[in-house]
Structures are given as C-alpha cells and as structure tokens.
Amino acid sequence: MAQKNYATVKDINYYKNKFWKWFFYSLGIAVLFFTLASWGFFGSMPSFEDLENPESNLATEVISSDGVTIGKFYNENRTPIKYEDLPTSIVKALIATEDERFYEHSGIDARRTFGAALKLGANGGASTLTQQLAKLLFHGEGSSFKPFRIIQKVKEWIIAIKLERQYTKNEIISMYLNKADFVNTAVGIRSAAKVYFGKEPRDLSIDESAMFVGMLKNPSLYNPLRRLEKVRLRRNTVLGQMVRNHIIDSKTKDSLARQPIVLHFHPESHKEGTATYFREFLREYMKNWAKENKKPNGDDWDIYTDGLKIYTTIDSKIQAHAEEAVAAHMKNLQQEFFFQQKDNKNAPFVNISDAETKTIIDKAIKNSERWRIMKDLEKTDEEIIASFSVKAKMKIFSWKGEIDTVMTPMDSIRYYKHFLQTGLMSMEPQTGHIKAWVGGIDYKYFQYDHVGQGARQVGSTFKPFVYATAIEQLGMSPCDTIIDGAFMIHKGRHNVTEDWEPKNSDRQYRGMVTLKKALALSINTVSAKLIDKTGPEAVVTMTKKLGVKSDIPAQPSIALGAVDITVEDMVAAYSTFANQGVYVKPQFISRIEDKNGVVLYEPVPENHDVLNKDIAYAVIKLLEGVTESGSGVRLRTQGGGSGDSRWTGYPYMFTNPIAGKTGTSQNQSDGWFIGMVPNLVTGVWVGCEDRSARFKGITFGQGATAALPIWGYMMKKCYEDKDLQISKDPFQRPDNLSIKVDCYERKKDTISDSTAVPVDEQNTDEFGL
C-alpha cells in the first residue's frame, strides 16, 4: 500500500513539472515570437518615424480664397480631419459598434481576444479600433493562409500597443476615420461626407453617422449605391448599438430607423465639379512647382499623395456665378447657331472649300483619343481611318445633358465642331488675384483651355492700346477731335507692302468725332489714323508693357485687332488701366502649405509702372463711353438692338460706372467683351474651335451679342451677392488731373435708358495690307 501511495505522489509531481516546463517553454517561445516579430524577423515593422507620421497617400486640396475646397489632386481621395471637427454622433456610434471598451484597454481588449479564441472566431474577430488602425496603416488585407494570418495578427497587436503609446485615444479615432475606405472615390470620413451627402462631417446627422459606421464592417458589401436596403438595415443595427450603450434612447432609435437613406451623391472627379479648367491649369503648374521645390530630405513633392493645401485666389462664389452665366448664355446662343447651320451643307464651316474642310477633319482625327488608342494597338493608318466611318454606341455632349446615341466617329467630330466655346477670367486689378477662370463649356468633353492656352484674334478690344499710346505720345485727350473719313496708308510706310485703306463696317463716315465717341463706336479709320501718327512700333511697345506675351507684328493692321492674344493677357492688360497705370501680373496662388500647415510657398507679387495715373484714367473714361453710347450700351438699356433674343439675362439695367470694350474679329470668328468696375475686371471670349465655323453675319457673331451677355449675367449675380462687395463706385479720379476727360456732347447724342438702340460694333473686315 505504501508503495502504491509513493507511486501516485511521484506521478503528480511528474505532471506538475511537465506542465511548468511546457508553460515556460511556451511562454519563452511566445516572448521570443513577439520579440522577433517586433524586430521585423517576420516582415518589416513600422519605425518610430513611421509611427510619428503614419499618414500617407493624402489628397492635395485646392482651396478658394473664401475657404471652400473646390477640388483635389489624388490617387486616393482622402483629406484628413481633426478630432475636434468630427461630430459627436459618429465618434460614439463608432465606439459603440466597433470597440465598446475602447477607452479602457491599451490597444488589445483581452476579454474580447480570449472570448474570440474560445469560440474559434465564430462570432467574428476581436480587433480593437487600434488594431484595425494598425491594419489599415501598415498591414492591408489579412492573409487567408492561417499561419501567415497568425503572424499578421501578432504584428497588429504589437503595432496597436505602440500606437496607443504614441497617440491619444482621440487621435487614434480621427486617424482611423481618416484612413477608412468608404468606396466610390471616398476615402476618409471627410471625403465620404462630401461624396455621399455633400456635407462637411460636422454637419452629419445621427442616422448619417450611423450609416458610415455601418459601412466600416464591409464597405463593398454595404455600398449605398448598390445595396441601399442592406445599408439601411446595417445602419439600424448601429443605432441599436447606440441604444445599448445609452447614447440614444429607444424612441429616438425607432424614429431614425424609419428614415430612408437619402443620398446626394457627387463623386469627386478631376473632370467634374467647379473650376475644372482652372484646376487642370493648376495641376500642370504644380507638377513643375514640385520639381523645382524640394522636400527637406531632397525628394520631390508629390501632389497626389503628400496632402498639400493649395490656397488659391479663386473666389468660389464669383466662380460659381461665372460658370452659371457661361452655361445660361452658351446654351442659349448655341440654339441660334444650330438653327443658322440647318441649311448649310458643309456645317458648321462657312465659305471654305472641300479641301480646307478635309484638312480640318483630318487634323481632328489624328488628334482624337481613338487615333491614339488604335496607334498604341499598332493599327495601320488605313485601318484607323476606316474605323471612323463605322457606327458605334457613344455618349455625346448636349446642353440638355449627355445623350446615348449611335453614330460614326466621323459624324461625332463634325457634331462637336458645331459647339461654340468660351473663355472667361476675372481679376482684381489692385492685387492681380484671379477670382474666376472658366476655360470652356464642359471640361469632360472639351478639354482645351481658352483662358490660358487659347490665343484668339482680339478685334476691337485691341484699340484701347492704340488710344493709350496716342494719349501718351501725342498728348491727346478723350475730348480731342479727329475726322472720321477716308484714309490710306501708302505702300512703304510703316512696312506696308501695298496700299492699305481700312473701311468702317457700315461703309459710312461721321466727320468730326471726339476720341471718346470714336472708341465708343469702334471706328476703324480713327484707329488707323492714330497708329499712323504714333507708329506701330510704339503700340507694340505699349502692349508688351501691358503684359501681353503674344508676338505682335509692327504693322498698322494691329490697330484693328489682327492679333492673337489670350484672355488671361487681355484681362491683365485692361486691369492696368483700372489700377492707375500699374501692371500687376495675374496671380492664382496665395500660398501652399504641407499637411501640417507649414507654409512652403508664398508668391511675391510682380508689378511695374506702365502709364501715369492721368493717362490710365483717361483710357478708363474712353472705355466708359463704350457702355454709355457705344456697343456696350445695352448693359444700361431695356429695349432695342439686334439679336435681342440671345442677350441672356437682358435687360441688365446697370446704372454704375462701367468701362468696357467689345470686339469682333474678321468674319465674326471671335466675339469679345472686357468689362471693368473698380475692383473687378472680367474678360470674355466666345467662338468655335475652328475659325471657319462661325455665324454668317455680325448680328449674332459680334462681341456685343456673343460675349457681353455673359459679363452682364455674371455681374448681375455678383451684385445680388452682397458678401462679394463688388464695387458700384466711380473709378478713382487722380488729384489735379491734367487731361481733359469731361467732354461736352450735344443733346442729340445722349442716350435714354429706356429707348437707346445699341449699335452694331465695327468688325475688322479690312485687315489686308
């Protein structure tokens, strides 16, 4: 019996020793495993620097002067947000649903972990929010191979503990919500709120917050665009968790659960939204800026991943008014263009040969995306050209919305050639700050920028440069008189190769007129006489001092506008007159900051004196005459004039001082209006992509009908928006003005607000030398 007891005692000790041996072996192996994992033996682990700066792949924000995000550059559409800008509802819903003991653990919830282990994960995982953040930041998707997944899980635990040491609980929540993917171009809660509801996160309601928290379980499964009912049920589950955690009561939950999910879905796209042409211009600028401005470590900045903040001079409200004006008028004017082209067998081209038409179409074919793609596929030119005659399904642009249709690519090219385009830019003359930039009618379909890229013939809008030169060089004033009569510059003078005799468009002469009236009526002979007196070289020099970068021939014909200049340069040049003779280079960036708010770049304004204040003011008074009695008078009237069915927004009935000039190029291919008030200068160009696609007559092709209504409509909106404080004051008159600007006019020349008939402006038919 004694032996038997002795043997029993021996067996117990044996197993006890065995147990502790294996326990310590297992503990040692676990410690070694965790140690090796933390050292990166099973794959790289984030460094201290990585933990300090875990955010990566952040979208660059484009921010307007009034603080509105008007666009982003991104690979992953994610814009960070601070904890204090998060709504309480989303924070509480997140913790209630994903990690109820978030504020109690240090990265790992032991109770949930052991519970999940005992049930072998049958009721889901046990990852805390911190572990989920570790996975999002440094890990990615979990492996389906169990041994690898165990290693990944261990690494998540280690990273989670390090994150808890490195960051506060609130910072971890904001980091998690900033990194979460909500699909449909939305990464991070700020992008998600914008994309799905058109809101900032702080404005989300409780049920909207619950929807986003519900999506976190599986964003692809709970995608509101595909499975709205599933998303609604999942949202209600989150609301139930909020009741369980005493965040809301049952009555509130029941009320919210009955609410449908109403999306205001606006996916953020580079080709859609506001200021699309400006954003593309800015993107190209930033690519060069990033190469020239290095990070502290010498690397290039990446505008798609480094989370820069580009503070621009664009005013989101003025931009919106400009885009609305463009859409309203161009839709209206396009109807007239289509109507006039109905009986044109070569529409939309006017007075060109079949050979010239073929040249235009062939160029369009070779510039098309179809040509590029098929060339990449190593198709022959013959195969590609043949494909343009094969009908295909396609979406096409129309002012009534996209149209699904079937047509040949060749027909689509001719269809798109019909569309009138536009370029508009607004600038504050005193600062050079660009306030609005509209480069075309629809960036998705027409990506050529008619503000910064497209130089077009400026017509009579060039004439103020001639008058300014004459006032400066010849000591003339707006009240001086000159004869409007037949005039010729003979061969050999001013480099003219043959006799040049410019004509007025109505083939009539008015006799003695003041300079102010001559510019108001855009009289060609007077401009020709002035440039003959000053010499074209002096006008070219003046125009260059005004910031125009185009090549300008020293020929008398430039007096009538036979020059191609961009909208940007024209607005900057006119702004010099409004800024008392000081040219200020257009500026579109206020500053650039990194993701932490450190200022990386602030531009230095560039300016130089061009004219003295008296001459600049005299030009302003000349240009005021255009809206008092010339082709811009319809800005002040409510009846009369040709083409009135296409004056979008008319009558305008402005009573404040406005300086401006209309312009129409040869054959009505280009219509211009540049209008100025003391603190805003806006230039508008309208025309087809090809100069041979145009209105047949001056009634609708002239700047007063094609371009001026956009300015009038936009300024109406700007004046209604009192926050903008667009000036209605007179232009500042210099002290001791030495130039006579207040001209006596006979009573018959005065214009009644209600009965004035706007005149057709002079076009520039007589360019030939």
Side-chain angles (χ1 to χ4, degrees):
M1 180 69 75
Q3 285 183 341
K4 187 175 182 181
N5 289 339
Y6 176 74
T8 302
V9 171
K10 181 180 177 182
D11 287 344
I12 290 171
N13 289 334
Y14 171 79
Y15 285 114
K16 284 171 67 176
N17 290 336
K18 198 100 170 171
F19 169 79
W20 288 112
K21 184 189 291 185
W22 280 108
F23 174 79
F24 285 113
Y25 279 160
S26 300
L27 184 62
I29 291 170
V31 171
L32 179 64
F33 187 80
F34 274 83
T35 303
L36 291 173
S38 65
W39 288 349
F41 185 81
F42 300 113
S44 62
M45 293 286 284
S47 65
F48 177 79
E49 289 76 17
D50 292 331
L51 291 170
E52 275 284 312
N53 299 284
E55 297 285 1
S56 61
N57 209 18
L58 291 175
T60 287
E61 282 189 274
V62 181
I63 302 168
S64 69
S65 61
D66 51 330
V68 176
T69 298
I70 59 175
K72 299 177 186 177
F73 304 136
Y74 58 85
N75 293 328
E76 183 181 275
N77 182 16
R78 181 161 59 90
T79 307
I81 187 171
K82 295 178 181 178
Y83 178 84
E84 49 266 32
D85 294 323
L86 291 169
T88 305
S89 59
I90 202 165
V91 173
K92 291 184 175 181
L94 178 65
I95 293 171
T97 306
E98 296 292 328
D99 192 352
E100 290 178 322
R101 286 180 291 280
F102 175 70
Y103 287 107
E104 299 168 19
H105 62 68
S106 298
I108 300 172
D109 188 338
R111 194 192 309 179
R112 287 181 69 191
T113 300
F114 283 120
L118 289 173
K119 296 177 182 178
L120 301 177
N123 292 339
S127 292
T128 63
L129 281 175
T130 318
Q131 287 174 255
Q132 293 180 46
L133 176 61
K135 182 178 176 181
L136 288 171
L137 289 175
F138 303 109
H139 212 316
E141 286 299 316
S143 173
S144 57
F145 184 50
K146 289 292 183 184
F148 286 174
R149 182 65 192 122
I150 292 170
I151 292 172
Q152 288 177 335
K153 202 70 179 174
V154 169
K155 289 167 71 175
E156 287 172 18
W157 288 342
I158 295 168
I159 296 169
I161 292 170
K162 288 183 177 181
L163 287 172
E164 288 275 351
R165 291 175 180 172
Q166 196 74 30
Y167 296 98
T168 66
K169 291 286 188 179
N170 290 349
E171 287 173 330
I172 287 170
I173 287 174
S174 62
M175 288 165 66
Y176 177 75
L177 288 171
N178 281 329
K179 185 66 178 174
D181 187 350
F182 294 92
V183 298
N184 298 312
T185 77
V187 181
I189 189 60
R190 188 175 182 198
S191 290
K194 284 274 191 182
V195 167
Y196 289 107
F197 295 112
K199 297 180 176 181
E200 287 291 334
R202 63 175 173 270
D203 299 321
L204 292 173
S205 62
I206 294 174
D207 55 313
E208 289 166 347
S209 294
M211 187 198 87
F212 285 129
V213 170
M215 288 177 67
L216 293 170
K217 183 176 182 180
N218 187 333
S220 296
L221 178 64
Y222 298 107
N223 182 339
L225 297 187
R226 295 185 178 181
R227 302 178 182 90
L228 194 59
E229 182 58 20
K230 265 187 179 296
V231 174
R232 189 186 68 82
L233 294 174
R234 176 63 184 162
R235 177 203 67 182
N236 293 350
T237 299
V238 174
L239 292 172
Q241 285 295 108
M242 295 176 78
V243 172
R244 174 181 163 178
N245 286 270
H246 310 295
I247 298 165
I248 58 175
D249 56 36
S250 296
K251 186 177 180 180
T252 302
K253 182 257 181 185
D254 292 341
S255 175
L256 293 173
R258 287 192 294 270
Q259 297 293 323
I261 294 175
V262 180
L263 300 176
H264 298 282
F265 183 67
H266 297 287
E268 296 188 334
S269 164
H270 299 310
K271 294 184 178 182
E272 296 174 347
T274 190
T276 46
Y277 289 91
F278 171 74
R279 285 190 275 130
E280 187 58 30
F281 168 82
L282 181 63
R283 185 211 301 274
E284 290 302 315
Y285 173 85
M286 288 301 298
K287 285 180 182 178
N288 294 324
W289 179 90
K291 293 175 183 175
E292 296 169 3
N293 296 267
K294 305 290 185 181
K295 293 180 180 179
N297 64 5
D299 292 343
D300 289 351
W301 289 100
D302 189 328
I303 65 170
Y304 301 106
T305 63
D306 284 335
L308 302 178
K309 293 187 185 299
I310 307 170
Y311 291 89
T312 71
T313 62
I314 296 291
D315 186 293
S316 69
K317 290 185 175 182
I318 297 178
Q319 179 72 30
H321 298 324
E323 291 182 4
E324 182 182 342
V326 163
H329 180 61
M330 297 305 288
K331 179 180 180 179
N332 187 12
L333 193 64
Q334 190 67 51
Q335 291 178 358
E336 182 68 33
F337 191 82
F338 276 129
F339 175 76
Q340 291 192 20
Q341 294 293 334
K342 277 196 309 183
D343 299 324
N344 179 4
K345 293 181 180 179
N346 195 28
F349 309 114
V350 178
N351 295 336
I352 63 171
S353 66
D354 291 343
E356 289 171 317
T357 302
K358 185 177 184 302
T359 299
I360 293 171
I361 297 297
D362 287 348
K363 184 178 179 181
I365 287 172
K366 292 185 178 180
N367 287 335
S368 69
E369 186 69 5
R370 172 181 285 268
W371 182 277
R372 185 191 67 76
I373 291 171
M374 294 187 75
K375 267 294 181 185
D376 289 343
L377 296 173
E378 300 182 350
K379 301 291 185 181
T380 66
D381 288 4
E382 291 74 19
E383 289 175 313
I384 300 173
I385 291 171
S387 76
F388 275 81
S389 298
V390 178
K391 287 189 175 182
K393 290 182 179 180
M394 61 181 73
K395 284 183 183 293
I396 59 172
F397 170 81
S398 86
W399 278 112
K400 295 180 180 178
E402 287 184 327
I403 298 173
D404 289 306
T405 189
V406 176
M407 66 167 61
T408 67
M410 186 74 75
D411 287 340
S412 74
I413 286 175
R414 196 177 277 267
Y415 171 74
Y416 282 125
K417 292 292 186 183
H418 279 76
F419 279 92
L420 292 160
Q421 298 294 328
T422 190
L424 176 153
M425 192 182 99
S426 294
M427 186 175 115
E428 192 174 69
Q430 293 77 23
T431 62
H433 289 179
I434 295 172
K435 293 298 178 183
W437 179 303
V438 185
I441 58 173
D442 188 289
Y443 184 76
K444 183 177 179 181
Y445 286 92
F446 308 96
Q447 295 179 9
Y448 189 79
D449 186 350
H450 292 282
V451 172
Q453 286 179 290
R456 294 293 293 240
Q457 206 167 83
V458 295
S460 296
T461 55
F462 190 87
K463 290 176 180 176
F465 307 154
V466 178
Y467 281 67
T469 307
I471 293 171
E472 181 183 60
Q473 301 247 328
L474 308 176
M476 301 183 77
S477 84
C479 302
D480 285 348
T481 56
I482 192 168
I483 295 176
D484 170 21
F487 176 71
M488 179 182 290
I489 294 179
H490 293 285
K491 180 180 177 180
R493 181 171 171 79
H494 302 312
N495 304 312
V496 170
T497 57
E498 58 184 68
D499 290 349
W500 180 54
E501 186 178 9
K503 299 285 197 306
N504 296 327
S505 63
D506 58 5
R507 307 294 172 175
Q508 296 180 6
Y509 302 112
R510 294 165 179 78
M512 194 70 72
V513 293
T514 63
L515 289 191
K516 186 172 184 179
K517 183 172 183 179
L519 186 63
L521 300 180
S522 205
I523 298 173
N524 287 340
T525 59
V526 172
S527 296
K529 286 183 176 182
L530 292 177
I531 201 169
D532 179 52
K533 291 182 178 183
T534 65
E537 292 82 5
V539 175
V540 171
T541 299
M542 171 67 73
T543 307
K544 291 294 183 182
K545 286 169 66 179
L546 289 166
V548 173
K549 297 182 281 291
S550 304
D551 290 331
I552 303 174
Q555 296 281 348
S557 62
I558 64 175
L560 307 188
V563 180
D564 288 357
I565 303 175
T566 64
V567 172
E568 181 182 9
D569 281 0
M570 288 300 287
V571 170
Y574 270 63
S575 293
T576 304
F577 303 132
N579 193 34
Q580 299 187 318
V582 178
Y583 169 83
V584 182
K585 184 178 180 180
Q587 185 172 309
F588 50 90
I589 292 177
S590 299
R591 69 184 185 280
I592 300 173
E593 295 180 356
D594 69 10
K595 65 182 181 182
N596 298 314
V598 176
V599 176
L600 304 175
Y601 171 73
E602 281 186 288
V604 178
E606 297 180 34
N607 56 68
H608 59 260
D609 291 338
V610 178
L611 299 163
N612 70 43
K613 293 180 180 180
D614 289 5
I615 296 173
Y617 185 72
V619 176
I620 288 292
K621 298 306 286 184
L622 284 170
L623 292 170
E624 284 182 355
V626 174
T627 67
E628 292 167 356
S629 60
S631 55
V633 73
R634 62 192 62 181
L635 290 171
R636 306 192 179 284
T637 62
Q638 59 180 344
S642 54
D644 58 349
S645 62
R646 300 304 176 198
W647 300 344
T648 311
Y650 187 83
Y652 312 106
M653 296 299 292
F654 295 124
T655 57
N656 55 292
I658 297 169
K661 187 70 188 79
T662 56
T664 307
S665 71
Q666 196 170 24
N667 297 324
Q668 302 82 235
S669 296
D670 307 274
W672 289 79
F673 182 72
I674 302 174
M676 301 190 284
V677 295
N679 63 350
L680 194 68
V681 177
T682 301
V684 183
W685 164 86
V686 172
C688 286
E689 179 184 281
D690 295 280
R691 296 182 184 189
S692 52
R694 57 181 176 81
F695 283 104
K696 295 178 181 179
I698 198 171
T699 298
F700 294 99
Q702 64 176 313
T705 310
L708 178 144
I710 293 176
W711 190 92
Y713 188 106
M714 170 188 157
M715 290 300 290
K716 249 188 176 181
K717 292 291 181 181
C718 286
Y719 281 134
E720 289 169 4
D721 195 335
K722 301 304 180 185
D723 292 339
L724 292 176
Q725 298 183 331
I726 303 299
S727 175
K728 289 188 175 182
D729 297 331
F731 289 87
Q732 185 175 348
R733 186 184 183 105
D735 295 333
N736 304 314
L737 180 65
S738 61
I739 300 175
K740 184 179 179 181
V741 296
D742 300 315
C743 312
Y744 167 76
E745 292 189 11
R746 291 170 299 172
K747 190 171 183 180
K748 70 176 184 179
D749 288 333
T750 59
I751 301 293
S752 164
D753 281 348
S754 60
T755 61
V757 179
V759 297
D760 284 342
E761 62 184 273
Q762 303 285 337
N763 72 353
T764 47
D765 289 336
E766 305 296 333
F767 283 164
L769 297 184

